[in-house]
Amino acid sequence: NDTGVGNMHYLDYSYDRGMTDARELIKGVPPKDLQLVYSPGLYQPQCTKHLIQVDHPDFFVVNSYGPTTVVLPNPTEKAYYGLTEPLQGYIRIVKANCHWGCPGDSVGGKDMYTEDNVMNITVNGVSVVNMTDDFLKHESGHKFEPNKDGLFEITLQTNTDKKYMRLSSIIIW
């Protein structure tokens, strides 16, 4: 069956898809950086004749085996977006869409800050205590101060064994 363009299958296109599956990360390897992963079960079925899902449904994963840290904006983002003014410090965590339901071992939005407190997130050492429409919130509000270099060091970890969080992106205003 032809599910690509010409003789090329759509899974063979040459851009980075990340690690094979999030389940590999919840088996015990503590990531230090955000790890890009994909789940083949979320791709367009190979039996489809025409390519309609060009973008891979990949995501970044955070687990319970160690803190995951990302420092934003990175030099490439600063150069590309022409960031000459300081960012305001409002941070939004966008969770990856599961379309027809997330796996039971993934952390969803309503699970993040409940009595069970399944997530631990800090921004430049300041603890996140809640979220409002995916915007991070600390004890005094939603605005986080950048570090002395104008950057935001975001550390994330799930607090429940073998649970992981699927992130699509982190946006800072």
Side-chain angles (χ1 to χ4, degrees):
N1 62 358
D2 181 20
T3 55
V5 176
N7 294 329
M8 208 170 158
H9 191 275
Y10 70 93
L11 288 178
D12 296 327
Y13 290 116
S14 63
Y15 52 90
D16 186 18
R17 291 184 299 222
M19 294 182 71
T20 290
D21 195 354
R23 307 237 181 278
E24 294 303 313
L25 287 172
I26 57 176
K27 289 182 181 173
V29 179
K32 292 182 180 178
D33 298 318
L34 278 179
Q35 193 73 92
L36 182 66
V37 297
Y38 73 100
S39 184
L42 297 176
Y43 283 39
Q44 173 182 340
Q46 294 183 15
C47 61
T48 304
K49 182 175 180 176
H50 301 287
L51 177 62
I52 56 174
Q53 183 186 19
V54 177
D55 191 20
H56 291 291
D58 50 13
F59 51 92
F60 297 100
V61 70
V62 174
N63 65 26
S64 63
Y65 294 102
T68 297
T69 300
V70 60
V71 178
L72 298 172
N74 63 44
T76 303
E77 291 169 323
K78 288 175 98 171
Y80 183 82
Y81 294 111
L83 298 176
T84 55
E85 296 181 25
L87 295 168
Q88 297 299 306
Y90 297 100
I91 303 171
R92 183 173 183 214
I93 301 281
V94 181
K95 292 170 287 304
N97 190 338
C98 298
H99 301 291
W100 295 284
C102 288
D105 51 359
S106 67
V107 176
K110 58 186 168 197
D111 302 326
M112 304 247 324
Y113 293 97
T114 61
E115 297 165 1
D116 299 331
N117 196 25
V118 297
M119 284 298 301
N120 183 29
I121 303 175
T122 62
V123 178
N124 292 337
V126 176
S127 293
V128 172
V129 297
N130 209 332
M131 294 175 80
T132 306
D133 295 324
D134 296 335
F135 282 90
L136 301 182
K137 183 178 180 184
H138 56 84
E139 287 290 338
S140 301
H142 290 91
K143 185 174 182 174
F144 289 85
E145 293 299 320
N147 67 17
K148 63 180 175 46
D149 298 318
L151 303 173
F152 297 88
E153 182 175 304
I154 303 168
T155 303
L156 310 102
Q157 183 174 356
T158 60
N159 293 328
T160 306
D161 279 348
K162 299 183 181 174
K163 285 269 194 178
Y164 69 101
M165 180 181 183
R166 303 159 40 99
L167 296 177
S168 171
S169 57
I170 299 174
I171 304 166
I172 303 175
W173 281 268

